[in-house]
Amino acid sequence: MNNVHIVTLGCSKNDVDSSMMYSLLDKNKYQMVNEPSQADILIVNTCGFIDAAKEESIDTILESVEYKNEGRCKKVLLSGCLAQRYPEELIKEIPEIDGIIGTGNIDYINELLDRSLAGDLFIKTDNLNSAYIEGIRKEVVNTTEYVKISEGCNNNCSYCIIPSLRGKNRSRKIEDIYSEVEYLVSKGAREIILIAQNTTDYGIDLYSKYSLANLINKISKIEDLKWIRVLYLYPDHFTDELIEEFKNNDKLVNYVDMPLQHISDDVLKRMNRKTSKEHIIKTLKNLRKSVPDIVIRTTFIVGFPGESDDDFNQLVDFIEDIKFDKLGVFEYSKEEGTRAASLDEQIPDSIKEERKNEIMAIQSEISAEILSKKIGKKLEVLIEEEVDEENYVGRTYMDSPEIDGVTYVHSAKNLEMGSFVQIDVVDSLDYDLVGEII
């Protein structure tokens, strides 16, 4: 029996892929272990989205190679986006790598393990647009679980390499997603987070219409499911039916993660975004009118090629006007293989950094103002961490795990991890809340 450990880098979609690889392991030959030091085989599930992610992946691969050089593991294998993007280059530069599977070849995980142990260099990255593999059955289920509803993306934004790494949009069938969610809930999951490269495109390939609202409505019928959260809701196909689902479905938390990337029509056009300033503002205002307590999170890219002072000022004015509850900013990363990499008027790194810092300073004040208005309100909190006997850390519906803030909870009685409790909000910080158990 060989011990296998997977190091997962990048986004929550990679977490799902790692769970899939674990579930597909031949249990007669391989078993999972929690620590890399215990592993006979290390698999690095890489990210290759932007330069910083690529650097982290390379560093992690080199750390894994050290385990091998020191005799603690037999094989180092790669999967994920960086592996899909640069298989030959990685093998050439890091010859200690013993095999690679790409993003569309997860179902070859056992062949990868078998062949590497036999001494073969197995590389398979050719099945980019493969159908989604069904059948995740996790041995350990958390209170919050991610469920991938589709793979790939049809957007072809000019700055993004993802369609080249993940293929075209391929939606899963509603009944298959329902079965997975039903299983996870039966094992203790209470919050399900639906993810994809672009969740609002869900179903268009299978059902010839955008079907996210229908999917949410179906899985909300699962009795013990408490919260449904959806990430990566692009604005271009944010349907009226979806807004109605947010308005009327008690299990769908009023939290919208909508990556906008910019507001200037000139920049949006160069980004090849399928939307406009007018459409974005209309969608946001419609959301807030229909669902008054909606929490909206977004991300922007600053320093995109050709972003003028006027473009940037439009973005600043938009942020100050809309007052997003949550906001992240990325400096544009020039990625080879994308159309944006060849555009004129590349912006100096110093200006990118200045623009990012300016927006984050504005957002810090906006966030503090919004959260200060929560003082005195009663909120429901999912408890996730015990600090000491009387202090805990959790999340409200307003916060997605790892990317948003938290709520600090004081309680004289013991609280169970994964429980939902009611609190009075007594204080606020820039991005977090402080509450006391009711």
Side-chain angles (χ1 to χ4, degrees):
M1 184 73 72
N2 286 284
N3 293 338
V4 178
H5 177 78
I6 301 180
V7 183
T8 306
L9 304 172
C11 65
S12 51
K13 294 179 282 292
N14 257 15
D15 290 327
V16 174
D17 289 348
S18 291
S19 294
M20 177 65 76
M21 285 189 280
Y22 272 139
S23 72
L24 293 173
L25 287 181
D26 184 340
K27 304 304 189 295
N28 294 317
K29 299 178 182 178
Y30 307 105
Q31 64 182 1
M32 301 176 291
V33 291
N34 294 325
E35 298 297 330
S37 58
Q38 302 170 338
D40 300 303
I41 302 170
L42 282 170
I43 303 173
V44 183
N45 191 3
T46 60
C47 179
F49 183 46
I50 57 176
D51 284 343
K54 288 187 282 188
E55 290 172 9
E56 182 185 18
S57 292
I58 294 296
D59 289 344
T60 305
I61 294 168
L62 294 176
E63 290 171 10
S64 300
V65 166
E66 281 303 304
Y67 281 102
K68 180 181 176 183
N69 291 339
E70 293 168 7
R72 284 183 279 177
C73 82
K74 304 172 186 175
K75 303 293 178 182
V76 173
L77 308 172
L78 305 185
S79 64
C81 287
L82 190 74
Q84 176 72 42
R85 190 173 183 182
Y86 301 114
E88 292 84 7
E89 294 90 334
L90 286 166
I91 292 293
K92 180 179 178 181
E93 295 298 325
I94 311 176
E96 294 90 347
I97 294 169
D98 298 291
I100 291 174
I101 51 173
T103 56
N105 298 99
I106 289 174
D107 53 334
Y108 283 82
I109 182 64
N110 286 302
E111 185 172 354
L112 173 68
L113 296 172
D114 293 346
R115 295 271 294 270
S116 66
L117 288 174
D120 297 337
L121 180 61
F122 181 65
I123 302 174
K124 189 165 182 62
T125 59
D126 60 342
N127 203 13
L128 193 59
N129 288 301
S130 62
Y132 190 90
I133 306 160
E134 297 296 339
I136 288 183
R137 287 296 180 264
K138 298 182 66 170
E139 296 177 13
V140 178
V141 172
N142 302 304
T143 304
T144 297
E145 287 286 345
Y146 292 92
V147 172
K148 192 187 291 189
I149 63 173
S150 65
E151 182 61 278
C153 185
N154 292 341
N155 284 7
N156 294 308
C157 299
S158 65
Y159 54 82
C160 184
I161 197 68
I162 290 298
S164 299
L165 305 180
R166 292 278 179 178
K168 297 178 180 178
N169 177 70
R170 291 102 68 205
S171 302
R172 300 173 63 192
K173 294 179 181 178
I174 288 178
E175 53 265 35
D176 292 333
I177 298 169
Y178 185 97
S179 294
E180 182 181 349
V181 173
E182 186 176 45
Y183 170 80
L184 292 170
V185 171
S186 75
K187 296 298 182 180
R190 292 296 172 264
E191 178 185 27
I192 293 296
I193 302 180
L194 303 181
I195 57 172
Q197 299 297 334
N198 176 359
T199 48
T200 48
D201 269 4
Y202 172 76
I204 188 65
D205 52 322
L206 282 181
Y207 307 113
S208 300
K209 64 179 180 177
Y210 299 106
S211 306
L212 181 59
N214 187 30
L215 169 66
I216 292 168
N217 185 270
K218 287 284 198 300
I219 65 174
S220 68
K221 302 296 193 292
I222 298 172
E223 185 175 351
D224 291 328
L225 177 57
K226 175 75 172 175
W227 282 353
I228 302 169
R229 189 182 302 274
V230 189
L231 302 185
Y232 316 119
L233 290 152
Y234 280 59
D236 35 323
H237 299 135
F238 206 105
T239 63
D240 291 339
E241 291 82 3
L242 187 54
I243 291 177
E244 285 300 305
E245 202 65 29
F246 275 101
K247 181 179 178 180
N248 299 317
N249 192 327
D250 292 337
K251 291 188 178 183
L252 178 61
V253 297
N254 290 335
Y255 174 102
V256 167
D257 171 63
M258 186 182 292
L260 296 176
Q261 314 307 14
H262 218 281
I263 196 60
S264 161
D265 280 328
D266 287 342
V267 176
L268 290 170
K269 185 176 181 179
R270 289 197 296 276
M271 287 180 167
N272 197 38
R273 300 284 286 180
K274 308 298 192 297
T275 187
S276 66
K277 180 177 184 177
E278 180 183 7
H279 177 75
I280 289 170
I281 292 174
K282 180 180 177 181
T283 301
L284 293 173
K285 288 185 175 180
N286 193 9
L287 255 176
R288 282 187 165 161
K289 180 180 178 181
S290 301
V291 191
D293 64 343
I294 196 77
V295 167
I296 302 176
R297 171 180 234 286
T298 192
T299 52
F300 293 111
I301 295 173
V302 294
F304 189 80
E307 183 190 52
S308 66
D309 289 340
D310 178 65
D311 293 326
F312 178 68
N313 289 333
Q314 284 187 55
L315 181 58
V316 169
D317 292 342
F318 173 66
I319 291 168
E320 291 178 331
D321 179 49
I322 295 294
K323 296 187 185 302
F324 292 95
D325 301 88
K326 319 283 181 180
L327 186 151
V329 183
F330 294 94
E331 297 174 31
Y332 167 72
S333 176
K334 184 178 180 180
E335 295 298 315
E336 61 178 321
T338 64
R339 283 172 288 167
S342 61
L343 291 177
D344 296 332
E345 300 181 75
Q346 297 285 329
I347 306 296
D349 290 344
S350 58
I351 294 179
K352 295 178 191 176
E353 185 177 8
E354 286 175 12
R355 290 177 175 176
K356 175 183 177 180
N357 291 342
E358 181 176 343
I359 288 180
M360 289 313 299
I362 293 169
Q363 181 60 27
S364 178
E365 293 182 4
I366 292 172
S367 177
E369 177 188 350
I370 290 172
L371 291 182
S372 69
K373 294 178 181 178
K374 306 298 180 185
I375 297 174
K377 294 186 179 295
K378 292 177 171 55
L379 292 173
E380 189 172 37
V381 175
L382 169 58
I383 299 299
E384 296 183 311
E385 180 184 348
E386 181 178 359
V387 179
D388 55 41
E389 290 183 356
E390 294 188 348
N391 292 287
Y392 299 82
V393 178
R395 288 183 293 111
T396 69
Y397 82 93
M398 300 182 292
D399 298 296
S400 191
E402 299 182 7
I403 58 175
D404 293 325
V406 297
T407 298
Y408 299 99
V409 178
H410 178 264
S411 174
K413 64 177 183 179
N414 291 334
L415 302 179
E416 291 185 14
M417 297 304 100
S419 63
F420 289 84
V421 300
Q422 296 287 331
I423 67 158
D424 284 318
V425 179
V426 298
D427 199 2
S428 66
L429 308 172
D430 284 354
Y431 297 104
D432 305 318
L433 292 174
V434 180
E436 293 187 350
I437 197 80
I438 297 177

